[in-house]
Amino acid sequence: PYGMRTLSLPDLSPAQLVAAAARPNIDFTAAFATVAPILAAVKSRGDVAVWEMTAKFDGIEVEAPDATPAAFPLAAFPDPAEQIPEATRAAFDRAYDNIAAFHAAQKRRADVPLEVSPSPGVALSRIESPIEAVGIYVPGGTAVLPSTALMLGIPAQIAGCETVVLATPPVKGSAMPDGGLPEIAPEVLYCARKCGVTHVLAAGGAQAVAAMAYGTGSCPKVDKIAGPGNQFVTSAKMMLQNAGDALVAIDMPAGPSEQLCVADEYADMRFVVSDLLSQAEHGKDSQVVLVAVGNFDMDAFRAELDRQLNLLPRADFARASLGHSVVMLAPDLASAMSFSNLYAPEHLVIQVRDPRTTALPLVRHAGSVFLGPFTPESVGDYASGTNHSLPTYGYARMYSGVGVETFMKSITVQELTKEGLLDIGPVVEIMAGVEKLDAHKNAVTIRLDAIRNGEV
């Protein structure tokens, strides 16, 4: 339906399976070539270059680009609460509470002391420390995404980051007056206030990533950048992480959003289709995969897809996404989950009978899992409490989604007594000798001699 390829899992060779799990190709070579001059311009000309790019790509009219800061302290913006309906504020507040509860539990776990003594006189420990300055990227190209401000801002807040720069483009078609403030979506500002954001960078795209990585006259330089984005944002993150002059880390390389749904004959077709379309409407480069298990009714699926798709305001986005999506026919749940693990989806929706006991134990690679008929992907996108900033494009095989640990780092500590050094020192001497690193060996030998001679 709508250009979705329909494949039968048992009929595919290993090579065909790999091809079926492949995402629509992203030409990163072309994207890198587009992004490189943007990064260079922001590095050399700072705020001026940021506004030039923002005017060019986002249609923002800037009165004085040579004298206008690109970033502003959050406190400079008026309280946006009055611009937002009470019910909307209450929804954001409820989402904040749930997300904060889940991420605070992660922090409590990180705060548990890790202390080990592998041998007498050797004390080892690990301490957790927040990254001091972080950048969080909140897209605003085809939709306003205040939920992303919560998903990135809350874990940074709970981690204890001192400086949090939120980058998001000004409202499309707005103007940047000389000496004034950019027009930022009030919902994003509301969430930023709740999350303790310190600065707002009025820019999106590669120019925003570069401004946070290098710093500008108005934008603090950050140590790590997190958040989703299009291929140009992702390319900028990847390039800057590998640029020695930027000295910045990223959360993960991420591509277009995606969902894989495993459904069997017991699934409610309305729920299956609504989940797939909730992902397909994200953008024309999104991808959805339906893995239909056993006696799943494909005719009913097609009919329900027609019905729901024609009711969507963003149907054009969804149709384009469906055009490079897949229906995989699987004879049983085991083979369905095997294909899911090969695909390693950002969002894994499982609508089969008793999914917690039958399917969840088979999950190996996924960004986030949504179990059962009453867990639409949308709840994770907004308010269940888990994070919606997740690895895509197969990176769930080796990356985790954003959490408190994204904004923290671990520091190991060791302390030896005389007895401890007498015990493992000879081991170090032998190993350093094998590697012919005499200074390493001497650092131990000198101490051992001093201990054995009673000098210390």
Side-chain angles (χ1 to χ4, degrees):
Y2 296 99
M4 296 180 75
R5 291 178 296 154
T6 300
L7 305 172
S8 176
L9 195 56
D11 297 336
L12 301 181
S13 68
Q16 289 171 323
L17 267 177
V18 171
R23 274 51 168 193
N25 184 55
I26 297 178
D27 186 357
F28 277 112
T29 302
F32 289 160
T34 300
V35 165
I38 297 174
L39 305 186
V42 173
K43 178 186 175 184
S44 63
R45 296 190 292 118
D47 289 334
V48 175
V50 172
W51 278 122
E52 285 179 2
M53 304 300 173
T54 300
K56 177 180 179 181
F57 297 123
D58 295 317
I60 307 302
E61 183 180 338
V62 187
E63 288 186 7
D66 294 343
T68 302
F72 302 81
L74 179 64
F77 291 88
D79 187 344
E82 293 184 0
Q83 302 178 56
I84 303 172
E86 183 178 352
T88 302
R89 295 199 308 271
F92 285 132
D93 292 346
R94 180 67 186 279
Y96 177 94
D97 291 343
N98 282 4
I99 299 164
F102 186 66
H103 289 76
Q106 298 172 29
K107 181 64 162 59
R108 288 193 296 272
R109 184 175 179 180
D111 287 342
V112 174
L114 192 161
E115 298 175 346
V116 176
S117 179
S119 58
V122 179
L124 311 178
S125 60
R126 191 175 74 174
I127 56 178
E128 308 297 327
S129 177
I131 298 173
E132 289 185 0
V134 299
I136 58 177
Y137 184 86
V138 177
T142 61
V144 177
L145 298 176
S147 58
T148 300
L150 293 177
M151 295 292 177
L152 300 173
I154 290 172
Q157 181 182 37
I158 291 172
C161 302
E162 293 180 12
T163 299
V164 181
V165 179
L166 184 152
T168 195
V171 173
K172 267 196 179 302
S174 63
M176 180 62 213
D178 186 11
L181 292 168
E183 185 179 349
I184 302 296
E187 298 87 354
V188 172
L189 289 176
Y190 182 80
C191 293
R193 277 178 171 256
K194 291 190 71 71
C195 297
V197 165
T198 58
H199 296 76
V200 173
L201 172 62
Q207 66 269 28
V209 180
M212 293 189 288
Y214 288 119
T216 70
S218 65
C219 182
K221 189 225 176 311
V222 304
D223 302 310
K224 189 171 187 178
I225 299 171
N230 61 23
Q231 60 179 310
F232 302 109
V233 170
T234 298
S235 296
K237 288 170 65 178
M238 295 168 68
M239 292 171 72
L240 287 164
Q241 179 176 238
N242 293 320
D245 58 349
L247 196 62
V248 70
I250 65 171
D251 52 349
M252 68 190 92
S257 198
E258 62 194 27
Q259 180 197 111
L260 184 145
C261 176
V262 178
D264 65 9
E265 61 197 275
Y266 303 104
D268 189 310
M269 203 62 69
R270 297 169 299 174
F271 302 166
V272 172
V273 170
S274 64
D275 275 344
L276 291 169
L277 290 179
S278 74
Q279 191 61 47
E281 75 169 355
H282 262 293
K284 296 178 180 179
D285 55 357
S286 298
Q287 186 179 44
V288 294
V289 176
L290 170 65
V291 182
V293 182
N295 295 320
F296 182 88
D297 190 339
M298 282 299 300
D299 289 335
F301 169 73
R302 294 186 185 95
E304 185 63 23
L305 183 62
D306 274 335
R307 189 187 71 79
Q308 290 193 32
L309 182 59
N310 291 323
L311 297 175
L312 289 179
R314 290 170 64 93
D316 287 347
F317 286 96
R319 287 191 183 93
S321 171
L322 293 174
H324 47 248
S325 297
V326 177
V327 175
M328 182 65 71
L329 307 178
D332 51 46
L333 183 60
S335 61
M337 296 308 298
S338 177
F339 178 75
S340 173
N341 287 325
L342 176 65
Y343 186 85
E346 176 190 15
H347 304 97
L348 173 56
V349 175
I350 304 179
Q351 296 195 38
V352 301
R353 177 177 281 186
D354 196 13
R356 181 169 289 277
T357 58
T358 61
L360 187 59
L362 302 178
V363 175
R364 294 293 177 269
H365 307 300
S368 192
V369 180
F370 302 80
L371 289 178
F374 307 114
T375 316
E377 183 203 312
S378 306
V379 298
D381 283 344
Y382 291 107
S384 66
T386 59
N387 207 289
H388 80 199
S389 191
L390 302 165
T392 68
Y393 214 67
Y395 283 110
R397 296 185 66 85
M398 68 289 290
Y399 283 91
S400 303
V402 165
V404 170
E405 65 278 2
T406 302
F407 300 99
M408 300 187 73
K409 59 187 185 300
S410 298
I411 304 169
T412 56
V413 181
Q414 50 257 296
E415 183 179 17
L416 275 63
T417 63
K418 292 179 184 178
E419 293 74 17
L421 187 59
L422 286 168
D423 180 35
I424 68 167
V427 173
V428 176
E429 287 179 308
I430 292 170
M431 295 177 71
V434 169
E435 296 185 354
K436 294 181 171 53
L437 295 175
D438 291 343
H440 282 65
K441 179 180 178 181
N442 289 343
V444 173
T445 302
I446 290 170
R447 286 173 169 80
L448 289 178
D449 289 344
I451 294 170
R452 290 164 180 158
N453 294 333
E455 298 170 8
V456 292

PDB file of all heavy atoms in Angstrom, residues 178-191:
ATOM      1  N   ASP A 178      16.624  45.428  15.817  1.00  0.00           N
ATOM      2  CA  ASP A 178      17.890  45.904  16.380  1.00  0.00           C
ATOM      3  C   ASP A 178      17.683  46.207  17.867  1.00  0.00           C
ATOM      4  O   ASP A 178      16.815  46.995  18.234  1.00  0.00           O
ATOM      5  CB  ASP A 178      18.338  47.159  15.638  1.00  0.00           C
ATOM      6  CG  ASP A 178      19.722  47.626  16.089  1.00  0.00           C
ATOM      7  OD1 ASP A 178      20.397  46.859  16.801  1.00  0.00           O
ATOM      8  OD2 ASP A 178      20.111  48.744  15.711  1.00  0.00           O
ATOM      9  N   GLY A 179      18.463  45.553  18.715  1.00  0.00           N
ATOM     10  CA  GLY A 179      18.367  45.774  20.152  1.00  0.00           C
ATOM     11  C   GLY A 179      17.226  45.037  20.821  1.00  0.00           C
ATOM     12  O   GLY A 179      17.013  45.171  22.028  1.00  0.00           O
ATOM     13  N   GLY A 180      16.482  44.238  20.076  1.00  0.00           N
ATOM     14  CA  GLY A 180      15.350  43.512  20.646  1.00  0.00           C
ATOM     15  C   GLY A 180      15.662  42.047  20.872  1.00  0.00           C
ATOM     16  O   GLY A 180      16.818  41.614  20.886  1.00  0.00           O
ATOM     17  N   LEU A 181      14.601  41.266  21.044  1.00  0.00           N
ATOM     18  CA  LEU A 181      14.717  39.835  21.269  1.00  0.00           C
ATOM     19  C   LEU A 181      14.123  39.075  20.086  1.00  0.00           C
ATOM     20  O   LEU A 181      13.151  39.529  19.475  1.00  0.00           O
ATOM     21  CB  LEU A 181      13.979  39.430  22.547  1.00  0.00           C
ATOM     22  CG  LEU A 181      14.571  39.919  23.869  1.00  0.00           C
ATOM     23  CD1 LEU A 181      13.575  39.690  25.008  1.00  0.00           C
ATOM     24  CD2 LEU A 181      15.885  39.198  24.168  1.00  0.00           C
ATOM     25  N   PRO A 182      14.669  37.926  19.767  1.00  0.00           N
ATOM     26  CA  PRO A 182      14.078  37.109  18.704  1.00  0.00           C
ATOM     27  C   PRO A 182      12.742  36.535  19.154  1.00  0.00           C
ATOM     28  O   PRO A 182      12.491  36.377  20.347  1.00  0.00           O
ATOM     29  CB  PRO A 182      15.117  36.006  18.493  1.00  0.00           C
ATOM     30  CG  PRO A 182      15.802  35.890  19.821  1.00  0.00           C
ATOM     31  CD  PRO A 182      15.840  37.275  20.388  1.00  0.00           C
ATOM     32  N   GLU A 183      11.898  36.233  18.181  1.00  0.00           N
ATOM     33  CA  GLU A 183      10.612  35.615  18.505  1.00  0.00           C
ATOM     34  C   GLU A 183      10.779  34.096  18.566  1.00  0.00           C
ATOM     35  O   GLU A 183      10.963  33.442  17.550  1.00  0.00           O
ATOM     36  CB  GLU A 183       9.551  35.999  17.470  1.00  0.00           C
ATOM     37  CG  GLU A 183       8.164  35.486  17.825  1.00  0.00           C
ATOM     38  CD  GLU A 183       7.109  35.876  16.808  1.00  0.00           C
ATOM     39  OE1 GLU A 183       7.403  36.722  15.934  1.00  0.00           O
ATOM     40  OE2 GLU A 183       5.989  35.326  16.882  1.00  0.00           O
ATOM     41  N   ILE A 184      10.727  33.576  19.773  1.00  0.00           N
ATOM     42  CA  ILE A 184      10.866  32.131  20.006  1.00  0.00           C
ATOM     43  C   ILE A 184       9.506  31.585  20.416  1.00  0.00           C
ATOM     44  O   ILE A 184       8.746  32.255  21.147  1.00  0.00           O
ATOM     45  CB  ILE A 184      11.901  31.852  21.121  1.00  0.00           C
ATOM     46  CG1 ILE A 184      13.264  32.457  20.761  1.00  0.00           C
ATOM     47  CG2 ILE A 184      12.029  30.352  21.368  1.00  0.00           C
ATOM     48  CD1 ILE A 184      13.932  31.876  19.537  1.00  0.00           C
ATOM     49  N   ALA A 185       9.158  30.394  19.974  1.00  0.00           N
ATOM     50  CA  ALA A 185       7.875  29.789  20.324  1.00  0.00           C
ATOM     51  C   ALA A 185       7.677  29.823  21.839  1.00  0.00           C
ATOM     52  O   ALA A 185       8.537  29.339  22.588  1.00  0.00           O
ATOM     53  CB  ALA A 185       7.814  28.354  19.822  1.00  0.00           C
ATOM     54  N   PRO A 186       6.588  30.392  22.332  1.00  0.00           N
ATOM     55  CA  PRO A 186       6.397  30.515  23.782  1.00  0.00           C
ATOM     56  C   PRO A 186       6.387  29.170  24.498  1.00  0.00           C
ATOM     57  O   PRO A 186       6.826  29.066  25.650  1.00  0.00           O
ATOM     58  CB  PRO A 186       5.052  31.237  23.907  1.00  0.00           C
ATOM     59  CG  PRO A 186       4.381  31.075  22.582  1.00  0.00           C
ATOM     60  CD  PRO A 186       5.476  30.987  21.577  1.00  0.00           C
ATOM     61  N   GLU A 187       5.911  28.129  23.796  1.00  0.00           N
ATOM     62  CA  GLU A 187       5.887  26.800  24.437  1.00  0.00           C
ATOM     63  C   GLU A 187       7.307  26.291  24.708  1.00  0.00           C
ATOM     64  O   GLU A 187       7.566  25.661  25.734  1.00  0.00           O
ATOM     65  CB  GLU A 187       5.130  25.805  23.551  1.00  0.00           C
ATOM     66  CG  GLU A 187       3.673  26.157  23.315  1.00  0.00           C
ATOM     67  CD  GLU A 187       3.474  27.101  22.132  1.00  0.00           C
ATOM     68  OE1 GLU A 187       4.466  27.579  21.557  1.00  0.00           O
ATOM     69  OE2 GLU A 187       2.294  27.328  21.775  1.00  0.00           O
ATOM     70  N   VAL A 188       8.212  26.589  23.770  1.00  0.00           N
ATOM     71  CA  VAL A 188       9.606  26.183  23.965  1.00  0.00           C
ATOM     72  C   VAL A 188      10.218  26.962  25.126  1.00  0.00           C
ATOM     73  O   VAL A 188      10.921  26.406  25.986  1.00  0.00           O
ATOM     74  CB  VAL A 188      10.418  26.388  22.675  1.00  0.00           C
ATOM     75  CG1 VAL A 188      11.907  26.166  22.924  1.00  0.00           C
ATOM     76  CG2 VAL A 188       9.921  25.447  21.581  1.00  0.00           C
ATOM     77  N   LEU A 189       9.950  28.261  25.194  1.00  0.00           N
ATOM     78  CA  LEU A 189      10.471  29.070  26.291  1.00  0.00           C
ATOM     79  C   LEU A 189       9.898  28.621  27.632  1.00  0.00           C
ATOM     80  O   LEU A 189      10.603  28.602  28.650  1.00  0.00           O
ATOM     81  CB  LEU A 189      10.137  30.545  26.057  1.00  0.00           C
ATOM     82  CG  LEU A 189      10.899  31.250  24.932  1.00  0.00           C
ATOM     83  CD1 LEU A 189      10.382  32.669  24.754  1.00  0.00           C
ATOM     84  CD2 LEU A 189      12.398  31.261  25.219  1.00  0.00           C
ATOM     85  N   TYR A 190       8.632  28.252  27.652  1.00  0.00           N
ATOM     86  CA  TYR A 190       8.011  27.776  28.892  1.00  0.00           C
ATOM     87  C   TYR A 190       8.727  26.522  29.397  1.00  0.00           C
ATOM     88  O   TYR A 190       9.070  26.416  30.588  1.00  0.00           O
ATOM     89  CB  TYR A 190       6.529  27.483  28.647  1.00  0.00           C
ATOM     90  CG  TYR A 190       5.784  27.020  29.880  1.00  0.00           C
ATOM     91  CD1 TYR A 190       5.340  27.943  30.824  1.00  0.00           C
ATOM     92  CD2 TYR A 190       5.518  25.671  30.090  1.00  0.00           C
ATOM     93  CE1 TYR A 190       4.659  27.522  31.959  1.00  0.00           C
ATOM     94  CE2 TYR A 190       4.832  25.237  31.220  1.00  0.00           C
ATOM     95  CZ  TYR A 190       4.398  26.174  32.150  1.00  0.00           C
ATOM     96  OH  TYR A 190       3.718  25.752  33.276  1.00  0.00           O
ATOM     97  N   CYS A 191       8.958  25.571  28.507  1.00  0.00           N
ATOM     98  CA  CYS A 191       9.650  24.342  28.893  1.00  0.00           C
ATOM     99  C   CYS A 191      11.101  24.630  29.277  1.00  0.00           C
ATOM    100  O   CYS A 191      11.641  24.016  30.213  1.00  0.00           O
ATOM    101  CB  CYS A 191       9.583  23.327  27.753  1.00  0.00           C
ATOM    102  SG  CYS A 191       7.916  22.710  27.427  1.00  0.00           S
TER     103      CYS A 191
END
